[in-house]
Amino acid sequence: EYMAGRRVKYLHPVRMYVFTSAVFFLLFFSFFSGSNVININSDGDMSGKKRLEAIASLEKKYKDDPTKKEVVEKVQQYKDTMKLIPIEDLPLFASDFNMINISGRSNKYFSVAEYDSIQKSLSSDKRDGWFKRKFIRKEIAINSKYSTDPSEGFKKIGNAFLHKLPYLLFVSLPLFALILRLLYIRRKQFYFADHGIFTIHFYVFSFLLLLVVFSLNKLEEVTGLGFIDIFIIGLILALIFYLYKALRFFYGQGRFKTLIKLIIIFISSLAMMVALLIFFLFFTAFSL
């Protein structure tokens, strides 16, 4: 309808996106909090032999210290390697546990001052570059700040990251439109703005459908009705089917071509969203 010029009786796409996304995130933030956004499955990093060695070391270290009796009793529980170690207990098992260690260097220093001192003692050609120094200094600062309470650090990162999701999706809009532009580059009647209009309408539909999914998920938590999962899976499949039908209707290509392009869009957009998520997560962590 928009492309055909019949626009007066419809809400402008940009206004529609702003209104729908505002409602979506208002409800989204009521469903989710930062404390459950970032979870560490510590079983992958602290299991089997490594876990048992850490427990034996703690028992030996604290066996004659009555003030550490509770610590010894707690670590005894984790001899069952099927039991996950919660975030708040990770420092017990790994004295060098760090929230962030992307550079692989931050766990070598106790403080930013120590790192700066070592850097100054090196010759200019062996010092880290300006960007790397900034990066490592920030890692050390974050790890030092939350060394005694990593769960609080993850909660803060989670909350901050959640509130950057609207910006992430807004940035993804033109990128998704670019994917469409490249896939339909031979369709000369479509300009980049036209792909943008299509993208906005698809995002709006996705917001509305995801609100239903979140509501059903919350209903399942409250009622414990397992069959609700079937409806949730059905809605996710409906979103994929909707995109297929929308592409076919809007761009007017055959079923097979549209299906192939749908698969390419799915893979490309997934890679794009993962890259944006990683970027925004790092940005969030280093802006604390």
Side-chain angles (χ1 to χ4, degrees):
E1 289 288 280
Y2 186 90
M3 295 298 296
R6 294 186 284 271
R7 305 172 185 177
V8 175
K9 63 179 180 178
Y10 298 105
L11 188 63
H12 191 278
V14 175
R15 291 199 191 108
M16 182 168 59
Y17 176 84
V18 171
F19 174 77
T20 310
S21 64
V23 173
F24 172 79
F25 281 107
L26 182 67
L27 296 174
F28 177 82
F29 292 137
S30 68
F31 282 123
F32 296 97
S33 65
S35 58
N36 56 24
V37 172
I38 297 179
N39 260 331
I40 288 186
N41 183 342
S42 58
D43 190 54
D45 297 322
M46 184 67 69
S47 61
K49 185 179 178 182
K50 186 177 179 183
R51 179 188 289 211
L52 294 175
E53 285 175 354
I55 290 172
S57 174
L58 285 167
E59 287 177 336
K60 184 179 179 180
K61 183 178 180 181
Y62 297 134
K63 69 176 182 178
D64 297 323
D65 188 347
T67 63
K68 298 294 184 180
K69 184 180 177 182
E70 290 183 5
V71 173
V72 175
E73 289 175 352
K74 177 180 283 190
V75 298
Q76 282 281 350
Q77 300 172 16
Y78 301 126
K79 284 187 175 180
D80 178 4
T81 55
M82 295 300 292
K83 184 178 288 186
L84 297 181
I85 300 172
I87 293 171
E88 58 269 20
D89 288 345
L90 280 177
L92 287 174
F93 293 84
S95 57
D96 61 345
F97 172 75
N98 290 291
M99 282 183 59
I100 301 174
N101 191 17
I102 302 162
S103 67
R105 299 270 304 280
S106 61
N107 61 344
K108 296 179 180 179
Y109 307 101
F110 290 105
S111 66
V112 173
E114 181 190 7
Y115 172 72
D116 288 342
S117 176
I118 291 172
Q119 285 294 302
K120 286 179 181 177
S121 68
L122 297 173
S123 58
S124 58
D125 59 316
K126 291 183 179 180
R127 292 176 190 170
D128 294 330
W130 179 86
F131 180 78
K132 194 171 184 179
R133 285 202 308 274
K134 289 281 185 183
F135 197 85
I136 294 176
R137 290 175 89 255
K138 190 64 178 178
E139 276 188 352
I140 297 168
I142 292 172
N143 291 329
S144 299
K145 185 176 181 180
Y146 298 107
S147 60
T148 57
D149 191 4
S151 59
E152 179 64 21
F154 283 114
K155 185 177 180 181
K156 283 190 174 182
I157 290 177
N159 278 321
F161 178 69
L162 272 183
H163 287 85
K164 283 184 171 56
L165 279 179
Y167 304 103
L168 185 153
L169 288 176
F170 186 75
V171 170
S172 74
L173 268 169
L175 296 177
F176 191 91
L178 179 61
I179 292 171
L180 294 176
R181 171 65 176 152
L182 295 173
L183 276 176
Y184 292 96
I185 196 166
R186 296 175 70 181
R187 309 300 292 255
K188 302 300 183 183
Q189 69 270 36
F190 294 106
Y191 297 98
F192 186 83
D194 301 328
H195 301 297
I197 294 298
F198 178 93
T199 302
I200 286 173
H201 283 83
F202 174 62
Y203 271 45
V204 167
F205 178 82
S206 301
F207 286 149
L208 297 174
L209 187 137
L210 286 173
L211 282 178
V212 179
V213 169
F214 295 152
S215 301
L216 287 174
N217 188 56
K218 186 62 69 174
L219 181 64
E220 184 190 15
E221 287 180 13
V222 173
T223 62
L225 298 174
F227 67 86
I228 293 177
D229 281 338
I230 299 172
F231 292 104
I232 293 175
I233 292 169
L235 287 172
I236 299 301
L237 293 175
L239 180 62
I240 298 170
F241 181 72
Y242 173 87
L243 179 56
Y244 164 78
K245 292 292 287 184
L247 290 168
R248 191 156 184 268
F249 182 79
F250 190 78
Y251 294 104
Q253 291 190 328
R255 289 186 177 88
F256 182 73
K257 268 191 174 182
T258 302
L259 183 61
I260 295 299
K261 289 186 176 181
L262 175 67
I263 294 170
I264 296 171
I265 289 169
F266 180 78
I267 295 171
S268 303
S269 58
L270 182 63
M272 177 259 293
M273 291 305 293
V274 167
L276 285 176
L277 281 168
I278 292 171
F279 173 79
F280 273 83
L281 187 58
F282 286 167
F283 179 78
T284 301
F286 285 93
S287 62
L288 285 180

